[in-house]
Each structure stands twice: as C-alpha cells, then as structure tokens.
Amino acid sequence: MKNLFKPFLIFLGLIFVAIGTIGIFVPGLPTTIFMILAAYCFIRSSEKLYNWVVSNKIFGDRVRHFIETKTIPLRGKIHSITTMWIMVILSLIFIEASLWVKLLIASLALIGTIVILSYPTAKD
C-alpha cells in the first residue's frame, strides 16, 4: 500500500502545481495555496519536487514562509480575501445559475475567508 501512496502524492502534487501555474495567468485563481498543497504532497513523496516548489522565484518564498511559520502576512490576507470576493461577486452577478449554485459559491467563499482569517497574521 505504501508503494502506491508516494506516486499518488506525486500525481496529486503535480495536479496542484498545474492549477497553481494556471493561477499565475488567470485573475481570481490563486497560485500560492495550490503550491502550498503541492509542497505538502511533495514533502511526503519527493524531496526533489519539494525543493523545486520552495525555491521557485515566483512563489517559493511565500510557500516556504507559510510551511515554516503557519502564518499569513497581512498584505496576503487582504489580497486573498479581496480578490476572492471580487470574483465571487462578479460570478454571482454574471453567471446564470440556479439559486443553490450561487449559494454554494457564496458559502465556499465564506468558508475560504474564515480559513484565511483563522491563520495568525505574520509579524514581519
């Protein structure tokens, strides 16, 4: 069973890297959180891939900071929550979907906001 777990974590980590990479170019899709998830997968499966994530010029510092301190800088919290809610509001206005889909989108954004705010703010 353990032999299957490492390849699964590598696969999952690569999926997170792909989504995070798309997030670099797509407004509203976060990058850092997916790279943090990828790093957590790679910690348990591939030291080489983990080192690649935390040493990346674009997002490596933020990923390493979060993994080491479990804190989010105030600027990061503000940026994340603001961007998320702008995209949610635009989605609710412009997407033609049923009420339950719109409630689901708003609920997930609320959960995301609570999660972000639940982490301590970095003191630097």
Side-chain angles (χ1 to χ4, degrees), residues 73-87:
L74 180 60
R75 183 175 178 208
K77 286 183 174 186
I78 292 169
H79 180 262
S80 300
I81 292 170
T82 302
T83 304
M84 178 174 42
W85 280 101
I86 287 171
M87 297 309 294

Side-chain angles (χ1 to χ4, degrees), residues 50-109:
Y50 171 76
N51 289 331
W52 174 80
V53 170
V54 296
S55 65
N56 187 282
K57 290 179 185 178
I58 297 172
F59 47 78
D61 288 340
R62 286 176 270 173
V63 172
R64 190 177 331 96
H65 177 271
F66 181 80
I67 289 174
E68 291 173 359
T69 67
K70 301 290 189 277
T71 62
I72 302 172
L74 180 60
R75 183 175 178 208
K77 286 183 174 186
I78 292 169
H79 180 262
S80 300
I81 292 170
T82 302
T83 304
M84 178 174 42
W85 280 101
I86 287 171
M87 297 309 294
V88 166
I89 290 167
L90 290 173
S91 297
L92 295 176
I93 292 170
F94 293 110
I95 291 178
E96 292 188 30
S98 64
L99 179 61
W100 74 268
V101 171
K102 290 184 177 189
L103 288 173
L104 178 64
I105 291 170
S107 298
L108 291 173

Side-chain angles (χ1 to χ4, degrees), residues 17-38:
V17 167
I19 296 169
T21 301
I22 293 168
I24 293 171
F25 305 103
V26 176
L29 182 63
T31 297
T32 306
I33 188 63
F34 288 107
M35 295 305 177
I36 290 169
L37 292 169

